Amino acid sequence: MEQLKTIGRELAIGSHGGWGQSKEFLDLVKSIGEARSKAEEDRIILREVESLRRRIAEPDVPRRKMKDYIIRLVYAEMLGHDASFGYIHAVKMTHHDALPLKRTGYLAVTLFLSEDHDLIILIVNTIQKDLRSDNYLVVCAALAAVCKLINEETIPAVLPQVVDLLAHPKEAVRKKAVMALHRFYQRSPASVSHLVSNFRKRLCDSDPGVMGATLCPLFDLISADGNSYKDLVISFVGILKQVAERRLPKTYDYHQMAAPFIQIKLLKILALLGSGDKQASGHMYNVLGDIFRKSEQSSNIGNAVLYETICCVSSIYPNAKLLEAAAEATSKFLKSDSHNLKYMGVDALGRLIRINPDTAEEHQLAVIDCLEDPDDTLKRKTFELLYKMTKSTNVEVIVNRMIEYMINISDNHYKTEIASRCVELAEQFAPTNEWFIQTMNKVFEHAGDLVNVRVAHNLMRLIAEGFGEDDEGAESQLRSSAVDSYLRILREPKLPSLFLQVICWVLGEYGTADGKYSAAYIIGKLCDVTEALLCDDTVKAYAISAIMKICAFEIAEGRKVEMLPECQSLIDELSTSHSTDLQQRAYELQAFLCLESQAVERVMPLDASCEDIEIDKNLTFLKDFVQQSIENGARPYIPESERSGMSNVSNFKSQYQHEASSHMLRFEAYELPRPSPAHVIPQVSVPTPIADLVPVPETTYNSKTSQASKLPSVTDASSAAHGLKLHLDGVQRRWGRPTYSSSSGPSSTTSTEKTTNGVTHIDGVSSQPRDKLNESRRQQPEVSAEKQKLAASLFGGSAGKTEKKATSTQRAPKGNTRNAERPGATRSVSPETSKEKAAPSVPDLLDLGEPNPTSTTIVDPFKQLEGLVGPTPVPSPLDNSVKTSGLETPDLMAAVYTDLPPSGSSSGSLGSTIGDMYSADKTSNTATSAPSIKKGPFPQDSLRKDARARQVGVTPTGNNPNLFKDLLG
């Protein structure tokens, strides 16, 4: 009877507005739900937003109405309309003492504002006050807002209070406090690095909800560093066993499954901890076997737990019985009628065949059914499985299937992925050279320009070098078959640009090598290629270079080259092209035809596309020229790294950005100024045109920042009496001779090692015999002969043993040390050879880029010139602060390249202690260092220096810090 009265009261409230909401709000929701188009919905929301804008601006709006207005604004904001005029009212509502208004304000603020919004600073104080509230509902609302609104700058303001809430008597508060710390770790791991021990302690919380919330931050920590949490394996196994035995309250069950989400998270953690660790995996075998036996496959959540168990078994150290149970569960997935379960089965099978490739043979017909399924997602997943199980015996069938599927799809992204996989499998498991050429032609023809450029270079390199065999006849046959196939393909009306580049290169290299085709025929085909693709300058460049190679062969053999009319018209057209590259190639071809056979043979030797190219990185051939120019009075080259003014102006922007990014709010009190020294020096008024007075501790002042700072001054003495010093960093020095300096910071490299799973099977873990062991071996339905033939091609028959991919027996593609020729004018350059051999690029004397940050110590070039230009008087140290006068020649280079004081760095250490719930006292200290930030020089002065440097004929560069030294030898 009492329940009926309650229901009646709720229905009465609902008829008058509904559970505290106004009738206007319910009408708004109803009208939006009945809208028949997006335009009608937008009109309703815009009308509502304008109405709320007027009502909120009215004075003395009652709290109840303001709450309703804010909720309606939230509704409008969630539908994509701007309600920014109500943000400040939502912030004000968080300050109310009434719980409904405060919770509504926090809800609205978390939906309205982002973590970097300007209004965040207005609610930090409110959050701090609410975290200390006696009402745990207020604390929970504040913690929910903390997870959404607190950014990296404001974490220190609330972190101590959140840590204190981990010991709150209410389990809901402890759970939300763990979630808040996890959010802090995701935003700024360094801010909570000293609080990791709290996660270990909360793992033993009496409430399962707090324990389950702790698994999420522990999963992130274990993913980053699993070795530090190996001692928790037994604890995780014990928790998983209790959950599997249904020792948790019934409230954690979901579809008759005991705490499935906690089980899934625990299985993921155990998969990380047991990877490659035999001892840790041994503790997991029993509980994983229990999960396989007790799993429920009648619901989706039960299948999810079973799938995660299969993933865990395939990740830890292998066990024969567990792998057998995982294969049986995978078989049930593959035989299901649900596409989702089939997808899970194909993915699980792909994980199992990495440990035991024979597992795939038992499910070959199920894989064929998935391959022919109309579901595109399932078909793609099956292709991933076939890609993993490819070997030399089934590569032809799998690659042909992939190419057929690639032809029929329109998704360019996945078509690119399929093409790259086909190329990789063809390069690794090609049975014959002819099949490899035909497969690559199909990929280029149907994938077009979606194929990676590196694939084209690898194809040209393989044709030039062969497959690593010493049989010259086989390589000649490979090249001849490639030429024949490409001449046939040229009859197609439309071909991709990248494929035409490969065709032009192959015809230019080997079109007339075997004498089967005449030079005039090949040149005519190349001219037809340029006419077929009028807008592609790259294809024209490849074609004109191929014509040049064919002409070189004919001239080297002593035969006269007959220039076809279409070829001559092509040369004339390219000579007047807007592309300077095409013009250069055309002029080079014209000059090439006038050379003698000996010169042609030296410029473009026969079959030299794979020869190594030696590059003189030090430009020693210019040594005599530079020496002679300096003797004749030329100015020596000064690298940009030695010009302190230019290097500092290039670093000014980066330092400014670093200062802006490192700015954070600080909540600690300001430090008191240190007392002035006991001795007092008389005050002397000295004008200081540039002075930035800041309090600096006496012990931290670095007196080595400049040479002039070593001399005592009256200004320093007077400012020291007040604990103040001048900031002279970045101030241009007006007096003294120029100096050259360079800085190099030490670098340290760290390396991490990971272990992989072994393949040795472990025995000794008992499992009960099951009557369902032979369930998968029931009588199979009749299978068509076509499917049986396809299965035999993919899996090698039912009795055949699968062949492992052994890299030592297969001919893997060679590294990209030498690749095919670039469409250049020289015969001996391949497309990738010059890139790899010339990795340290030749210094560009006209480079105006930024200085190289990893510069080595620079030697003073004027000391190296002492033997060339005569001795130079060495000034005394005191002369640095005195300006010389007289009849001396003004030093223009000294005015341009004035040295600035080097920057310094400071480091500090931060210690952190991490407790262990199972060990006595385990501590670890983490030392971090933060370089000090210093402002750079004034950019206008540096730019004026750059202009004066160009007037005297010195061009800055950032790539040649040691070029002057190299030129002097």
Side-chain angles (χ1 to χ4, degrees):
M1 190 65 183
E2 192 66 28
Q3 293 180 356
L4 291 177
K5 292 181 179 179
T6 304
I7 295 175
R9 283 195 300 267
E10 291 177 354
L11 291 176
I13 294 174
S15 62
H16 292 289
W19 294 278
Q21 305 301 329
S22 64
K23 188 176 182 301
E24 296 178 353
F25 174 74
L26 296 179
D27 293 340
L28 172 66
V29 176
K30 182 179 178 181
S31 60
I32 291 176
E34 295 176 353
R36 297 184 179 181
S37 63
K38 185 65 170 61
E40 183 179 356
E41 176 187 308
D42 292 340
R43 286 195 298 269
I44 295 172
I45 293 295
L46 290 175
R47 185 169 60 250
E48 181 68 20
V49 168
E50 292 299 326
S51 175
L52 291 174
R53 189 190 301 271
R54 292 192 307 269
R55 294 184 181 184
I56 286 181
E58 295 176 358
D60 300 331
V61 179
R63 295 181 180 179
R64 187 179 184 86
K65 287 189 176 181
M66 182 60 71
K67 175 186 173 183
D68 184 71
Y69 295 161
I70 294 297
I71 293 176
R72 288 153 71 177
L73 284 178
V74 169
Y75 206 85
E77 186 86 9
M78 293 174 63
L79 290 177
H81 295 267
D82 181 35
S84 58
F85 61 90
Y87 290 177
I88 188 62
H89 298 282
V91 173
K92 291 179 180 179
M93 189 167 289
T94 60
H95 301 164
H96 285 289
D97 296 332
L99 180 61
L101 297 178
K102 183 178 289 291
R103 296 180 68 177
T104 303
Y106 275 129
L107 173 64
V109 166
T110 53
L111 295 175
F112 284 157
L113 307 182
S114 59
E115 62 179 13
D116 55 349
H117 200 275
D118 296 336
L119 295 178
I120 294 295
I121 196 64
L122 299 179
I123 63 173
V124 173
N125 189 27
T126 305
I127 291 177
Q128 289 177 332
K129 183 184 68 174
D130 292 339
L131 290 177
R132 294 189 294 266
S133 176
D134 297 332
N135 190 345
Y136 80 97
L137 296 177
V138 175
V139 177
C140 290
L143 286 174
V146 162
C147 297
K148 180 67 170 61
L149 301 178
I150 296 300
N151 52 28
E152 185 178 356
E153 296 180 356
T154 53
I155 284 177
V158 298
L159 182 59
Q161 298 171 355
V162 174
V163 174
D164 294 339
L165 291 176
L166 291 174
H168 199 275
K170 284 291 185 178
E171 60 275 1
V173 176
R174 298 198 303 270
K175 179 179 178 181
K176 289 185 177 294
V178 171
M179 296 169 63
L181 287 179
H182 184 204
R183 188 60 173 168
F184 292 164
Y185 174 78
Q186 292 176 342
R187 294 184 187 275
S188 177
S191 62
V192 294
S193 59
H194 59 290
L195 302 173
V196 177
S197 60
N198 292 279
F199 295 132
R200 289 173 173 264
K201 294 177 182 178
R202 292 302 102 197
L203 190 64
C204 299
D205 196 280
S206 58
D207 185 71
V210 180
M211 179 271 300
T214 310
L215 295 177
C216 297
L218 285 176
F219 176 76
D220 292 346
L221 292 170
I222 293 172
S223 300
D225 182 17
N227 295 327
S228 301
Y229 300 90
K230 293 287 187 180
D231 56 330
L232 295 180
V233 171
I234 300 177
S235 300
F236 288 130
V237 170
I239 295 173
L240 182 59
K241 186 176 181 180
Q242 295 180 25
V243 175
E245 293 176 355
R246 296 182 177 273
R247 295 186 184 180
L248 268 65
K250 290 291 184 179
T251 54
Y252 292 93
D253 290 356
Y254 181 76
H255 285 272
Q256 299 180 355
M257 193 71 185
F261 302 105
I262 295 180
Q263 290 191 50
I264 290 175
K265 185 62 68 173
L266 285 170
L267 289 170
K268 290 182 177 181
I269 292 175
L270 293 178
L272 295 175
L273 294 176
S275 178
D277 192 337
K278 182 178 180 180
Q279 182 179 2
S281 301
H283 299 292
M284 310 174 189
Y285 293 154
N286 290 332
V287 67
L288 293 177
D290 294 340
I291 294 177
F292 274 123
R293 289 190 296 270
K294 299 178 181 180
S295 61
E296 295 287 342
Q297 296 187 357
S298 59
S299 61
N300 289 333
I301 192 64
N303 292 323
V305 174
L306 188 59
Y307 167 76
E308 201 61 47
T309 309
I310 296 174
C311 296
C312 181
V313 169
S314 62
S315 300
I316 65 176
Y317 198 85
N319 178 268
K321 295 182 179 180
L322 289 179
L323 289 175
E324 182 180 353
E328 183 180 351
T330 303
S331 175
K332 294 180 181 179
F333 287 155
L334 291 173
K335 295 177 182 179
S336 174
D337 295 333
S338 173
H339 287 85
N340 295 332
L341 295 183
K342 284 184 178 181
Y343 186 92
M344 292 168 55
V346 171
D347 184 78
L349 186 60
R351 296 173 182 270
L352 293 177
I353 63 174
R354 292 182 299 183
I355 303 175
N356 184 15
D358 297 336
T359 308
E361 292 187 2
E362 303 175 3
H363 314 288
Q364 45 185 308
L365 294 179
V367 173
I368 297 300
D369 292 337
C370 295
L371 193 62
E372 298 176 352
D373 196 278
D375 190 351
D376 195 61
T377 305
L378 181 60
K379 188 178 296 185
R380 292 184 181 185
K381 197 65 179 179
T382 308
F383 275 119
E384 293 182 9
L385 174 64
L386 296 179
Y387 170 75
K388 296 177 182 178
M389 53 183 291
T390 304
K391 49 190 176 181
S392 58
T393 57
N394 59 5
V395 62
E396 298 183 36
V397 179
I398 292 178
V399 171
N400 290 337
R401 282 279 182 152
M402 287 184 175
I403 293 177
E404 291 177 4
Y405 178 70
M406 181 182 64
I407 296 174
N408 297 326
I409 62 176
S410 58
D411 186 358
N412 291 336
H413 176 74
Y414 193 68
K415 184 179 290 188
T416 303
E417 184 178 353
I418 288 289
S420 62
R421 289 181 177 179
C422 292
V423 171
E424 182 180 351
L425 294 178
E427 290 179 353
Q428 190 172 359
F429 302 106
T432 60
N433 298 339
E434 290 77 8
W435 180 86
F436 173 76
I437 296 297
Q438 293 175 2
T439 302
M440 298 302 294
N441 292 344
K442 290 180 182 179
V443 172
F444 277 106
E445 185 176 357
H446 297 291
D449 294 331
L450 298 176
V451 183
N452 194 349
V453 179
R454 185 176 299 178
V455 175
H457 292 308
N458 290 339
L459 174 60
M460 292 184 281
R461 176 178 56 83
L462 288 174
I463 295 176
E465 298 179 354
F467 287 87
E469 300 177 355
D470 297 333
D471 189 3
E472 294 293 338
E475 295 182 358
S476 301
Q477 184 180 1
L478 169 66
R479 296 162 182 169
S480 178
S481 61
V483 171
D484 294 338
S485 62
Y486 289 155
L487 288 176
R488 289 194 305 269
I489 292 174
L490 284 179
R491 301 171 185 172
E492 297 292 334
K494 185 177 181 181
L495 293 173
S497 173
L498 188 60
F499 194 25
L500 286 174
Q501 297 174 21
V502 177
I503 292 176
C504 291
W505 185 86
V506 173
L507 293 180
E509 289 282 345
Y510 311 107
T512 59
D514 56 354
K516 188 175 180 180
Y517 301 99
S518 63
Y521 178 75
I522 300 297
I523 291 176
K525 288 292 183 182
L526 293 173
C527 294
D528 295 340
V529 169
T530 58
E531 295 177 358
L533 214 66
L534 297 177
C535 299
D536 198 335
D537 291 342
T538 306
V539 175
K540 292 182 180 180
Y542 269 88
I544 196 67
S545 297
I547 294 175
M548 188 183 304
K549 296 173 188 177
I550 295 175
C551 294
F553 295 156
E554 297 297 314
I555 295 175
E557 294 294 334
R559 293 189 291 266
K560 184 178 180 181
V561 178
E562 297 180 359
M563 191 59 60
L564 299 177
E566 54 267 26
C567 183
Q568 186 62 44
S569 62
L570 174 64
I571 295 175
D572 297 338
E573 177 188 353
L574 298 183
S575 300
T576 58
S577 174
H578 294 288
S579 173
T580 56
D581 180 52
L582 295 179
Q583 284 188 20
Q584 180 181 351
R585 294 173 190 270
Y587 288 128
E588 287 178 354
L589 177 57
Q590 292 178 354
F592 199 78
L593 297 175
C594 303
L595 297 178
E596 298 180 355
S597 60
Q598 293 83 2
V600 171
E601 190 173 358
R602 285 181 60 86
V603 173
M604 302 186 71
L606 180 64
D607 196 15
S609 60
C610 298
E611 292 183 358
D612 296 336
I613 299 176
E614 296 181 0
I615 297 177
D616 187 3
K617 296 182 291 185
N618 296 327
L619 301 178
T620 56
F621 56 90
L622 293 175
K623 183 177 179 180
D624 297 336
F625 173 76
V626 173
Q627 185 72 18
Q628 184 179 1
S629 300
I630 294 176
E631 292 178 356
N632 293 335
R635 290 181 177 272
Y637 174 75
I638 301 179
E640 187 177 0
S641 60
E642 297 180 2
R643 307 168 198 166
S644 58
M646 293 304 301
S647 61
N648 287 333
V649 73
S650 61
N651 295 332
F652 177 77
K653 182 177 180 181
S654 61
Q655 290 181 1
Y656 176 77
Q657 292 176 351
H658 182 62
E659 289 178 1
S661 62
S662 62
H663 172 69
M664 297 177 61
L665 293 177
R666 303 180 61 183
F667 297 93
E668 63 271 14
Y670 289 106
E671 296 181 358
L672 296 176
R674 294 202 173 190
S676 58
H679 59 277
V680 179
I681 300 178
Q683 301 289 333
V684 180
S685 59
V686 178
T688 55
I690 301 176
D692 185 11
L693 296 178
V694 293
V696 179
E698 186 66 21
T699 57
T700 60
Y701 177 72
N702 186 4
S703 61
K704 299 180 180 180
T705 54
S706 64
Q707 186 176 0
S709 63
K710 296 181 180 179
L711 300 178
S713 63
V714 180
T715 306
D716 293 341
S718 61
S719 60
H722 298 278
L724 303 177
K725 291 197 178 289
L726 290 176
H727 261 186
L728 298 179
D729 300 339
V731 180
Q732 182 180 3
R733 290 173 50 184
R734 302 292 184 181
W735 317 113
R737 297 183 61 84
T739 57
Y740 295 86
S741 63
S742 63
S743 61
S744 60
S747 61
S748 61
T749 58
T750 59
S751 61
T752 58
E753 298 180 357
K754 293 184 178 179
T755 59
T756 56
N757 288 345
V759 293
T760 306
H761 299 289
I762 304 301
D763 297 327
V765 179
S766 62
S767 63
Q768 299 178 1
R770 288 163 291 192
D771 297 336
K772 299 180 181 180
L773 184 62
N774 298 325
E775 182 179 355
S776 61
R777 302 175 183 174
R778 295 176 182 175
Q779 185 177 2
Q780 300 288 341
E782 295 184 1
V783 183
S784 61
E786 182 180 357
K787 285 189 178 181
Q788 291 181 356
K789 184 177 179 181
L790 180 59
S793 303
L794 291 175
F795 301 93
S798 60
K801 296 182 178 180
T802 59
E803 178 181 347
K804 299 182 180 180
K805 297 182 182 179
T807 56
S808 60
T809 58
Q810 299 295 340
R811 295 191 302 270
K814 298 182 179 180
N816 294 333
T817 56
R818 299 195 304 263
N819 285 333
E821 180 178 350
R822 186 182 303 169
T826 58
R827 165 69 176 157
S828 59
V829 181
S830 59
E832 293 275 323
T833 303
S834 61
K835 294 182 181 179
E836 296 296 336
K837 290 296 179 180
S841 60
V842 178
D844 187 4
L845 298 180
L846 296 178
D847 183 19
L848 300 180
E850 296 183 354
N852 191 0
T854 59
S855 61
T856 57
T857 304
I858 307 301
V859 182
D860 191 350
F862 292 102
K863 294 182 180 180
Q864 301 179 9
L865 284 175
E866 289 180 355
L868 300 177
V869 298
T872 305
V874 180
S876 61
L878 296 177
D879 292 338
N880 291 333
S881 60
V882 181
K883 182 177 181 181
T884 60
S885 61
L887 300 177
E888 298 179 356
T889 304
D891 192 354
L892 186 58
M893 298 301 294
V896 175
Y897 303 106
T898 303
D899 195 13
L900 291 177
S903 61
S905 63
S906 62
S907 61
S909 62
L910 175 63
S912 60
T913 305
I914 302 176
D916 192 350
M917 54 181 292
Y918 301 103
S919 304
D921 289 322
K922 296 184 179 180
T923 60
S924 62
N925 297 329
T926 304
T928 60
S929 62
S932 63
I933 303 171
K934 180 179 293 185
K935 295 184 178 179
F938 302 102
Q940 295 181 355
D941 297 339
S942 300
L943 293 176
R944 285 198 295 268
K945 294 180 184 179
D946 189 11
R948 297 172 66 180
R950 300 180 190 281
Q951 291 177 4
V952 299
V954 180
T955 304
T957 181
N959 298 328
N960 307 310
N962 296 325
L963 180 60
F964 191 70
K965 177 179 178 182
D966 297 334
L967 294 179
L968 294 177

